[in-house]
Amino acid sequence: TVRCADLGLVNVTLYGTDSNGNTDSCAATVNVIDTVPPVAICQDISVYLGLNGSVSVTAGMINNGSLDNCNSITAIKINGLDSVVYSCTDAGLRSALLQVYDSNGNVGSCNANITVIDTVRPIPRCRAVTLPLDASGNLTVNASVIDSNSFDACGISSLQFSIGLTTRTYNCSNVGINNVRLIVVDVNGNKDSCSTTI
């Protein structure tokens, strides 16, 4: 019986005995090789984008106790790398390949699902504006007019006065300072707001 500890060239002696009890032997060299790949065991995970709109996922994060018959795992990779960076465009469900390498050149693999989530709210920036009524005493204002470069790492999808309302109208009865709120919504549905005046 040979074991993982016997990997490589092993000297053995073969003995032969015939039916009359005569015995002879010869020496041989046996090359013990491990060709069994590691058992890659994956786990699905969820990760959250940071303020800069990215998150790094290491191979260890999706490894769930991968095994090797000779206990000789030397490396684990995700998509062939030590780590993978996911960004705003990766938000949602992604598949990743876990590769497990042993010291004898065998590779086992499995696939994991990575859910990339953006929960970072945009940074709203408002500005106060002074606007004239038209000759008819009316004014239509788009929410973008009171925006002062609001920011979100993944991008802003809309600017609103209230949910679903991107413009407001004013008339002579509104002359003076009017308090308004700007709601900033990013591409993944996160929102925040700021207040200013028209």
Side-chain angles (χ1 to χ4, degrees), residues 30-76:
V30 177
N31 189 15
V32 181
I33 303 171
D34 173 23
T35 60
V36 179
V39 179
I41 304 173
C42 286
Q43 62 181 350
D44 297 338
I45 62 171
S46 295
V47 295
Y48 295 84
L49 296 174
L51 293 174
N52 63 349
S54 66
V55 60
S56 179
V57 177
T58 65
M61 294 169 67
I62 61 171
N63 180 41
N64 193 27
S66 298
L67 307 170
D68 182 68
N69 62 328
C70 285
N71 295 317
S72 63
I73 292 175
T74 57
I76 55 173

Side-chain angles (χ1 to χ4, degrees), residues 79-101:
N79 294 344
L81 305 168
D82 292 330
S83 63
V84 174
V85 175
Y86 292 96
S87 61
C88 295
T89 56
D90 298 306
L93 187 64
R94 299 294 164 184
S95 179
L97 177 68
L98 179 71
Q99 298 158 299
V100 183
Y101 300 80

Side-chain angles (χ1 to χ4, degrees), residues 126-129 141 143 145-147 160-162 168 170 177-183 193-198:
C126 288
R127 69 187 184 107
V129 294
V141 180
V145 171
I146 60 170
D147 176 58
Q160 306 173 19
F161 286 109
S162 61
R168 293 188 69 164
Y170 296 91
I177 296 175
N178 296 268
N179 294 315
V180 292
R181 179 169 292 275
L182 174 68
I183 299 173
S193 63
C194 55
S195 295
T196 188
T197 58
I198 296 175

Side-chain angles (χ1 to χ4, degrees), residues 133-139 170-172:
L133 297 172
D134 64 18
S136 301
N138 296 303
L139 171 67
Y170 296 91
N171 55 40
C172 295

